[in-house]
Amino acid sequence: MKDMSQTRQIRLANQELSSFQMPYSNLLQVQSGRIWLTVEGDAQDYWIGAGEQMQLPRGRKVVIEAAKGAARLVLTPLNSHFAQALPSPVAGFLKAAA
C-alpha cells in the first residue's frame, strides 16, 4: 500500500489507472491533463481537468484514470481544520460529465 501521509506527485500515462485507500483527507489537484475519478461510496464519477481540484475523503478507496493523454496530479494530505472548509465530493463539488 502506498504511503498517503505526505504530499505526492503522480504521473499517469494515457488510460493508466491508479487506485489507493485514503487514510487521510487529501486535496487532489490536477496539474496537467484530464482524469476520471471514482470514490468508494459515492454514486457519482468525476471528470477533473488541469487547474481543477477536489477534496478526497479519508477512509475511502479511490480509482483514478488518465483520460485523453497523460495526466499529472498532486495529492496533499489535509489537516481537519482546512478540510472542513472545502466542499466534499459527496456534496457535489464537481459533477460527472454527461
Side-chain angles (χ1 to χ4, degrees), residues 14-67:
N14 185 39
Q15 297 184 335
E16 180 180 1
L17 286 171
S18 183
S19 68
F20 35 84
Q21 191 77 23
M22 303 302 301
Y24 307 98
S25 290
N26 276 259
L27 181 64
L28 177 138
Q29 298 171 297
V30 178
Q31 308 239 307
S32 65
R34 182 172 164 94
I35 65 166
W36 166 81
L37 169 76
T38 189
V39 179
E40 176 184 43
D42 189 340
Q44 291 196 231
D45 289 346
Y46 302 90
W47 291 96
I48 307 171
E52 296 179 320
Q53 61 187 28
M54 180 172 165
Q55 180 183 344
L56 302 177
R58 80 177 166 85
R60 308 262 183 98
K61 182 178 180 179
V62 299
V63 178
I64 299 170
E65 179 181 8

Side-chain angles (χ1 to χ4, degrees), residues 73-93:
L73 49 125
V74 175
L75 284 172
T76 305
L78 299 173
N79 67 40
S80 60
H81 179 265
F82 181 67
Q84 291 173 2
L86 294 172
S88 71
V90 176
F93 181 56

